[in-house]
Amino acid sequence: MKQISDFIDASGMLLTKDAIQGGVKKDDFYRFIANNHFEKASHGIYISPEVWEDESFILHQRCPQAVFSHDEALFYHELTDREPMQQTITIYSGYNTQKLKESGIKVFTVKKELLNVGKLEVKNSYGHKIPVYDLERTICDLMRSRRSFEIQDFQTAIKKYVNRPDKDLNKLMTYASLFRVEKRIRQYMEVLL
């Protein structure tokens, strides 16, 4: 049988569900948590006292349907130099976002059928996989929510996207029509390309 310490990942995080599914008894699990001074980061998520908390992965575990978007996606795709001041996610309309907003998370909503458009997984700096929107979806979100961005950040992100060799203008226009920002994106692309 595996030891409880075998379920601690490289970032010092221990998930209750992994240990229990791996055959660890709950009493043994909670005794291990107490004896090793693990801190509860969120429901079912504990971290070693020697490590930094991976807030993005914890949020992903807390709300697995959500996708990191807007400021977060701009940062992951290197379309901005500034690390986001608060975590930003997109979730489907109708999801109860009250607790997320109360904990300081910026939440955007979309129709359920549009939630996974452009979704991909990236490894964050802690080595965990988290869902983030791709470049083209991020540009569409930027256009849709342009009033919530500073004009300088908005323009920098658009210019950096246009100069990227891995941009996909066909995909961008496909997404743009889905999110009804086709005319606006076409105007920007005609000026910058």
Side-chain angles (χ1 to χ4, degrees), residues 152-164:
Q152 183 180 351
D153 294 340
F154 176 85
Q155 290 174 342
T156 299
I158 297 294
K159 286 176 185 172
K160 282 187 173 189
Y161 172 77
V162 167
N163 291 322
R164 288 187 59 142

Side-chain angles (χ1 to χ4, degrees), residues 157-175:
I158 297 294
K159 286 176 185 172
K160 282 187 173 189
Y161 172 77
V162 167
N163 291 322
R164 288 187 59 142
D166 60 340
K167 68 183 174 291
D168 185 337
L169 296 175
N170 290 330
K171 187 193 285 184
L172 178 65
M173 295 317 293
T174 301
Y175 289 177

Side-chain angles (χ1 to χ4, degrees), residues 14 24 35 43 49 59 102 177 191:
L14 177 59
V24 175
N35 292 343
H43 178 74
L59 177 55
E102 285 171 1
S177 67
V191 170

Side-chain angles (χ1 to χ4, degrees), residues 78-97:
E78 299 174 354
L79 295 175
T80 183
D81 300 328
R82 272 192 253 170
E83 199 166 339
M85 296 298 284
Q86 67 185 124
Q87 291 179 305
T88 309
I89 59 171
T90 296
I91 191 72
Y92 58 87
S93 301
Y95 186 93
N96 186 352
T97 61

Side-chain angles (χ1 to χ4, degrees), residues 9 13 19 30 33 53-54 63 66 80 82-83 108 125 127 148 163 193:
D9 72 13
M13 191 174 297
Y30 291 113
I33 294 295
E53 191 174 305
D54 182 352
C63 186
T80 183
R82 272 192 253 170
E83 199 166 339
F108 290 88
S125 57
S148 66
N163 291 322
L193 287 173

Side-chain angles (χ1 to χ4, degrees), residues 17-30:
K17 67 177 182 178
D18 292 347
I20 301 302
Q21 288 172 356
V24 175
K25 291 186 174 109
K26 280 189 178 183
D27 291 346
D28 295 337
F29 179 82
Y30 291 113

